[in-house]
Amino acid sequence: MIIDTPKVQDINSFSGLESFKEVYGILWILVPILILVLGITLSVLAIVWLEREISVGVQQRIGPEYAGPFGILQALADGTKLLFKENLIPSMGDIRLFSVFLWIAISSIAPIGLLMSGYGSNNKYSFLGGLRALLNRLVMKYH
């Protein structure tokens, strides 16, 4: 039996599709994540814009509508302002001690949410579960 070599080469050229399948698989994972992040970002921007517009109407004052079309550049201006604000650490204080207490305060926010969610359910067993989760979180953090 004689094998035609161009046909064998054509068949071997399809093996390059395996790498295309890998790239396609990675894109299939990344595209929904990108769509989700973009959707959440746009939703937050829309909510901030609506909140500003509603507060302008309630307070009867001039709103952010002069910062770009429909005031959409106001969020960009606020983000830039927060980025270039002054440092959080005081210049005349003990920097090491301040940073220790700052990180303890920041890391204590999540356990408080656990306790509040148990208390807010108006059920003593949920409240005890929230206390247990709070204590477990604190014990795991400081041990």
Side-chain angles (χ1 to χ4, degrees), residues 1-2 6 10 17 20 22 45 47 83 105-106 119 132:
M1 175 177 207
I2 298 174
D10 290 340
L17 290 178
F20 180 71
E22 291 175 9
L45 286 174
I47 289 171
L83 184 65
I106 289 173
Y119 179 74
R132 182 178 176 207

Side-chain angles (χ1 to χ4, degrees), residues 15-30:
S15 65
L17 290 178
E18 293 299 322
S19 62
F20 180 71
K21 286 181 182 178
E22 291 175 9
V23 171
Y24 183 71
I26 292 172
L27 287 177
W28 190 248
I29 293 172
L30 292 179

Side-chain angles (χ1 to χ4, degrees), residues 58-77:
V58 169
Q59 298 171 6
Q60 296 178 350
R61 62 178 174 82
I62 296 174
E65 69 265 7
Y66 297 109
F70 302 109
I72 58 174
L73 294 180
Q74 186 66 41
L76 180 66

Side-chain angles (χ1 to χ4, degrees), residues 3 6 10 25 28 30 42-43 47 54 64 78 81 88 99-100 118-121 129-130 137-139 143:
I3 298 176
D10 290 340
W28 190 248
L30 292 179
L42 291 177
S43 299
I47 289 171
I54 290 170
D78 289 342
K81 180 183 78 172
L88 185 65
S99 65
V100 166
Y119 179 74
S121 66
R137 178 87 179 223
L138 291 175
V139 166
H143 273 257

